[in-house]
Amino acid sequence: MKKFFSTMALVLAMTTGLLAQNNFGIRAGYNLANQFVREGDHSATTKVASRFHVTGYYDVRVSPGFSIQPGLSLEGKGAKSKIPEGTFIDKFLYLQVPVNFLGRVETRSGDFFYGGGPYLAYGVSAKVTSGRQGIDINWGSGVDELNPFDLGLGAMLGYRFMNGFVLSASSTAGLINISNTSTKYLNRVTSISVGYEFGRK
């Protein structure tokens, strides 16, 4: 019985220690958004549009060298297209749920992290602009609407300082056609972020 209680105390102490290393964080930054377009055997990549992101996340430390990081993000996506009639910018806004699996390498001033994982997103607003003119686009299943769902994979790397300050860069690639036509439009986003983790020790 004494051995049992000793073992339970050890497990509790280890669990408490791991939970104490979990941190809530927030990051925001600049998105370079474009789209991969494929029609039949032909494919192309649009020009980059400037967008933004804001993300809240919870970093769950599984071990000293590994953590799981689910989050909730407001993610700007889209693209820029130049044609003889003018320059058109797709401005899409998604509510996105990423789950990143991160390896970590400790240093004297913090730790490097690297990894990635899947994301699921749902469109909340969409507009095409040209100069000061703008047209709202509906989400739905019609040919003149956009598929509201976006699913894809992402990769991330960065550095977390001991004081909680975080610098990171990431890239995501959509796997779902956001168009309801035979022409495929896949979201692509590269992001640069700054952030802060609360409770970092």
Side-chain angles (χ1 to χ4, degrees):
M1 184 64 70
K2 184 177 180 180
K3 184 177 181 181
F4 171 78
F5 281 114
S6 298
T7 303
M8 291 300 295
L10 179 61
V11 171
L12 181 61
M14 292 175 62
T15 303
T16 303
L18 288 173
L19 289 176
Q21 298 180 59
N22 297 344
N23 301 297
F24 172 77
I26 187 169
R27 59 175 173 262
Y30 182 60
N31 282 1
L32 299 169
N34 65 350
Q35 294 166 356
F36 176 79
V37 184
R38 178 180 290 277
E39 184 173 9
D41 296 330
H42 302 283
S43 62
T45 301
T46 65
K47 295 184 179 298
V48 170
S50 298
R51 304 294 287 136
F52 72 95
H53 69 273
V54 178
T55 304
Y57 63 88
Y58 191 62
D59 189 78
V60 182
R61 184 65 67 94
V62 178
S63 70
F66 179 71
S67 67
I68 300 174
Q69 194 177 93
L72 181 63
S73 178
L74 197 61
E75 200 80 24
K77 304 186 183 185
K80 181 187 290 187
S81 302
K82 289 186 177 182
I83 59 176
E85 290 77 9
T87 300
F88 295 85
I89 301 176
D90 297 340
K91 296 182 178 181
F92 305 153
L93 190 62
Y94 288 84
L95 192 62
Q96 184 160 300
V97 179
V99 180
N100 290 306
F101 300 87
L102 302 176
R104 295 188 176 274
V105 179
E106 298 283 348
T107 69
R108 295 182 64 180
S109 60
D111 60 72
F112 288 101
F113 58 88
Y114 58 92
Y119 73 83
L120 176 64
Y122 189 83
V124 294
S125 71
K127 179 181 289 188
V128 177
T129 64
S130 180
R132 296 185 178 181
Q133 303 294 320
I135 300 175
D136 291 326
I137 302 176
N138 294 324
W139 303 96
S141 57
V143 294
D144 59 343
E145 297 176 320
L146 290 175
N147 174 13
F149 290 99
D150 186 25
L151 173 70
L153 296 173
M156 174 187 290
L157 61 85
Y159 191 82
R160 181 175 62 176
F161 294 87
M162 291 296 293
N163 63 4
F165 185 65
V166 182
L167 296 173
S168 64
S170 62
S171 181
T172 60
L175 303 176
I176 290 181
N177 184 12
I178 64 170
S179 167
N180 294 313
T181 68
S182 59
T183 302
K184 290 185 176 181
Y185 289 83
L186 305 178
N187 283 318
R188 299 284 189 269
V189 178
T190 298
S191 303
I192 301 171
S193 309
V194 295
Y196 184 81
E197 285 193 12
F198 301 90
R200 175 71 172 139
K201 297 180 180 181

